[in-house]
């Protein structure tokens, strides 16, 4: 009788390869663009802020800089109520808009996280207050984008909008504040959360970012910290 050779199969090898691929993706950094970031000494650029509420990040952008552009994003901003700054964020079309107690929304939160293909929205929220007063200093990062970096960032945000006849469409508004939520063609789920979106916006502006790792707001803030530490002297 022939002895059967011990076969361990390909399972361990496949698992090892998958684990290695996941580790590589987790640490992979999408390169920045030195032509966009940092701004040169002769480039006045545009100062923006990133605000962290502990789990979600918004950008605070000068309204005048957005309105100086052409296209559907600028048009949407011009239609907002008064405010010198515009807070910009992205999220699930239901969970992000709803402000009822979080304990009442846990089932909807699970749906937003774990069901693929959820509709999403971009928030444009006008604010009169200086962004530096909206959150504590440790929850805010400020950076000066080059003029070209700002345009690339705004183009990236605009590209996320779902357009109807070339115009952004309001998907939701709240009765108690001035925020407007515009339909986005992107889908929200655990593989594509609000902080992934924010990291992508910063990467479009020229900063290096770690896409997969940007699941947390702290990683988005770290994206800015690393870029500011690693940047070279201002270029002429």
């Amino acid at each position: 009788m022939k002895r059967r050779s011990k076969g361990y199969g390909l399972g361990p090898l496949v698992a090892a390869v998958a684990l290695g691929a996941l580790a590589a993706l987790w640490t992979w950094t999408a390169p920045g663009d030195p032509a966009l970031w940092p701004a040169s000494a002769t480039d006045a650029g545009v100062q923006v802020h990133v605000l962290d509420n502990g789990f979600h990040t918004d950008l605070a952008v000068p309204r005048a800089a957005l309105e100086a552009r052409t296209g559907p994003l600028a048009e949407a901003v011009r239609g907002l109520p008064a405010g010198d700054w515009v807070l910009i964020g992205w999220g699930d079309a239901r969970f992000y808009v709803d402000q009822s107690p979080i304990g009442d929304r846990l089932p909807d939160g699970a749906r937003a996280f774990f069901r693929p293909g959820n509709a999403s929205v971009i928030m444009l929220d006008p604010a009169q207050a200086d962004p530096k007063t909206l959150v504590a200093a440790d929850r805010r990062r400020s950076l000066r984008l080059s003029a070209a970096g700002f345009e690339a960032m705004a183009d990236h945000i605009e590209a996320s909008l779902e357009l109807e006849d070339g115009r952004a469409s309001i998907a939701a508004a709240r009765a108690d504040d001035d925020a407007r939520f515009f339909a986005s063609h992107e889908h929200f789920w655990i593989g594509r959360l609000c902080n992934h979106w924010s990291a992508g916006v910063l990467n479009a502006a020229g900063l290096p970012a770690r896409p997969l790792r940007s699941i947390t707001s702290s990683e988005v803030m770290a994206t800015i910290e690393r870029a500011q530490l690693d940047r070279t002297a201002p270029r002429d």
Side-chain angles (χ1 to χ4, degrees):
M1 180 182 295
K2 287 185 177 181
R3 293 183 60 188
R4 297 178 60 184
S5 60
K6 291 183 178 180
Y8 293 96
L10 295 177
L13 177 60
V14 171
V17 170
L19 185 60
L22 181 60
L25 286 172
W26 182 253
T27 57
W28 175 68
T29 299
D33 186 344
L36 301 178
W37 167 266
S40 71
T42 58
D43 186 346
V46 179
Q47 186 177 53
V48 303
H49 308 273
V50 178
L51 312 180
D52 175 12
N53 71 3
F55 63 92
H56 170 86
T57 47
D58 287 325
L59 289 92
V61 182
R63 181 175 187 149
L66 292 169
E67 289 188 345
R69 291 167 44 85
T70 59
L73 178 60
E75 184 179 1
V77 170
R78 293 188 193 103
L80 296 174
D84 293 333
W85 292 85
V86 179
L87 306 185
I88 304 176
W90 177 85
D92 179 78
R94 288 210 321 252
F95 189 81
Y96 184 34
V97 177
D98 191 356
Q99 288 189 313
S100 59
I102 190 67
D104 298 337
R105 297 191 286 136
L106 293 179
D108 191 48
R111 182 271 313 162
F113 267 61
F114 299 115
R115 191 187 76 180
N118 297 299
S120 67
V121 290
I122 294 177
M123 180 192 75
L124 301 179
D125 185 6
Q128 286 286 12
D130 187 317
K132 294 179 180 178
T133 69
L134 296 178
V135 297
D138 64 341
R139 294 290 188 180
R140 184 189 71 251
R141 299 292 181 271
S142 303
L143 63 161
R144 183 170 65 92
L145 301 178
S146 67
F150 173 78
E151 289 299 317
M153 182 193 78
D155 285 345
H156 185 88
I157 295 170
E158 185 172 85
S160 182
L161 291 167
E162 182 176 337
L163 304 180
E164 293 182 4
D165 298 324
R167 304 182 65 179
S169 58
I170 296 178
R174 295 190 291 237
D176 57 348
D177 64 41
D178 291 334
R180 301 292 182 267
F181 297 86
F182 293 82
S184 169
H185 64 80
E186 298 188 60
H187 294 143
F188 184 97
W189 69 296
I190 189 65
R192 178 68 169 167
L193 299 177
C194 54
N195 296 314
H196 292 127
W197 188 86
S198 294
V201 170
L202 293 174
N203 186 236
L207 282 72
R210 298 188 289 204
L212 184 61
R213 198 162 175 168
S214 296
I215 193 168
T216 64
S217 60
S218 60
E219 173 61 25
V220 176
M221 306 303 266
T223 295
I224 300 169
E225 294 166 2
R226 287 192 303 269
Q228 291 176 331
L229 287 172
D230 294 343
R231 68 184 178 182
T232 58
R235 294 162 294 171
D236 294 330

